[in-house]
Amino acid sequence: MAQIGYTMMTEQAGPRELVEHVVAAERAGFDFSVTSDHYFPWLDEQGHAPYAWSVLGAAAQATSTIPLMTYVTCPTVRYHPAVVAQKAATVQLLSQGRFRLGLGSGERLNEHVVGEGWPAAHVRQEMLVEAVEIIRDLFSGKSVNHHGAHFDVENAKLYDLPEQAPPIGIAVSGPSSCEIAGRLADLVIATEPRSELIEAFERHGGAGKPRVGQIPVCYDPDRDAAIARAHEQFRWFAGGWPVNAELPNPEGFAAATRFVRPEDVAESIPCGDDVETFVEAVRPYAEAGFTEIALVQVGGDHQLPFIEWAQHKLLPELKNL
């Protein structure tokens, strides 16, 4: 039985609203929560991008039981891995052990802002491996000096450490990232229901570890309104990660998706309020071997109605997957 999670999507709501939403999700019975970590929204229509780590700190204090997780943080360009280790340890303490650190190789959309350029994909993966090693060393409590191919760390040490370090998840999209995740991660993260990703992760050392997926949905009693909103705010989703990782700003995503039609979006995102349609959209993740599936409700102003509907209608059915 897969656990069903809720997504605090920082691209579509402000910080106070995000915390309000995760409080409601906890009350509604979602099994866990995740949050994106963006500097920009994908599209200007989404309209938000608060600092995810401040939101996580507030959410840790406002909730009491729901697990929290970054989905995902890039610990290589915009953030130095030594700083990621410090803030992850802090959120683990604030949440009293409910935090997991989801990591990935990032998107140009968010990482270019510090002016360090955008490395090639294979370099980004090398950087991620080195970053994970630094983070784990700091989680161990020792003083770290590191001079590697991509990062320097000089006499760093974390003074506020939780009893249990945050588990580390790594996002995957192909064979190379699956090998890295299987070797280095405590759990795997993916946004496509592809069983070959799970199989590769397990083959490289991930057997028995949690497998976390994510799917966008667009609840609305008016299906046409749901389709229109999904097209307005989520048509970027049609690009796929090889494209999405490379575009530099919301204007680029708007241009790249100008020919995506509402009906195209409706084919990949369940829209409306038919419970069975939503269940059938989520089912491939369970069948592919995901043990946890986070839902992303499209539209920042439509979270609370979705959560209420999910509590009474959707979650009871998804629990049967």
Side-chain angles (χ1 to χ4, degrees):
M1 183 183 297
Q3 293 188 317
I4 304 301
Y6 173 79
T7 300
M8 291 185 284
M9 191 172 185
T10 59
E11 302 94 289
Q12 61 179 15
R16 295 180 64 87
E17 291 75 22
L18 289 164
V19 175
E20 178 187 4
H21 298 159
V22 76
V23 168
E26 178 181 65
R27 188 166 54 243
F30 281 88
D31 295 312
F32 68 100
S33 69
V34 302
T35 184
S36 56
D37 185 357
H38 271 234
Y39 201 92
F40 282 98
W42 298 100
L43 295 164
D44 282 336
E45 290 89 342
Q46 292 177 314
H48 294 275
Y51 184 53
W53 290 88
S54 297
V55 173
L56 283 165
Q61 294 296 285
T63 59
S64 58
T65 59
I66 193 167
L68 306 168
M69 179 179 172
T70 49
Y71 204 102
V72 293
T73 283
C74 177
T76 60
V77 181
R78 182 168 44 120
Y79 303 140
H80 190 283
V83 177
V84 172
Q86 183 189 34
K87 55 192 177 183
T90 299
V91 173
Q92 180 74 316
L93 287 167
L94 287 169
S95 65
Q96 296 182 302
R98 291 183 283 133
F99 179 66
R100 295 180 293 179
L101 176 61
L103 300 176
S105 58
E107 299 98 13
R108 185 178 182 183
L109 175 70
N110 304 301
E111 306 307 314
H112 78 275
V113 296
V114 294
E116 294 296 323
W118 185 232
H122 74 280
V123 176
R124 300 199 299 268
Q125 291 187 340
E126 290 175 4
M127 296 173 74
L128 179 60
V129 169
E130 190 174 338
V132 171
E133 293 170 352
I134 292 168
I135 291 167
R136 286 208 184 274
D137 280 349
L138 286 165
F139 281 170
S140 74
K142 64 185 179 183
S143 181
V144 175
N145 286 282
H146 174 94
H147 302 287
H150 302 287
F151 301 106
D152 290 317
V153 181
E154 185 174 340
N155 193 31
K157 178 181 172 68
L158 299 183
Y159 276 84
D160 287 280
L161 280 170
E163 290 185 9
Q164 179 181 358
I168 292 176
I170 292 179
V172 301
S173 59
S176 180
S177 55
C178 286
E179 185 277 328
I180 292 170
R183 179 164 50 91
L184 297 179
D186 302 306
L187 57 136
V188 70
I189 296 165
T191 57
E192 297 175 278
R194 293 164 51 195
S195 59
E196 64 267 27
L197 297 177
I198 302 302
E199 293 164 1
F201 171 66
E202 293 184 336
R203 188 166 58 249
H204 290 290
K209 296 177 181 178
R211 306 174 295 276
V212 188
Q214 187 184 57
I215 178 174
V217 301
C218 195
Y219 162 77
D220 197 295
D222 182 339
R223 186 169 185 268
D224 289 339
I227 292 172
R229 186 167 70 250
H231 177 259
E232 177 194 54
Q233 298 193 22
F234 245 78
R235 64 188 183 275
W236 61 271
F237 193 72
W241 290 112
V243 173
N244 291 347
E246 301 298 333
L247 296 177
N249 51 43
E251 291 80 8
F253 281 92
T257 58
R258 66 188 182 278
F259 297 122
V260 176
R261 303 169 303 170
E263 53 266 39
D264 299 326
V265 175
E267 288 180 2
S268 59
I269 297 175
C271 295
D273 64 351
D274 180 68
V275 171
E276 187 59 27
T277 298
F278 282 64
V279 171
E280 290 307 307
V282 175
R283 189 182 304 279
Y285 286 83
E287 293 177 344
F290 287 85
T291 57
E292 304 176 41
I293 306 160
L295 309 182
V296 187
Q297 162 68 1
V298 177
D301 295 335
H302 298 266
Q303 299 301 304
L304 296 180
F306 163 71
I307 291 169
E308 182 177 2
W309 174 75
Q311 177 181 4
H312 298 291
K313 300 289 187 180
L314 182 61
L315 290 180
E317 297 301 319
L318 291 177
K319 300 292 186 182
N320 296 323
L321 285 178

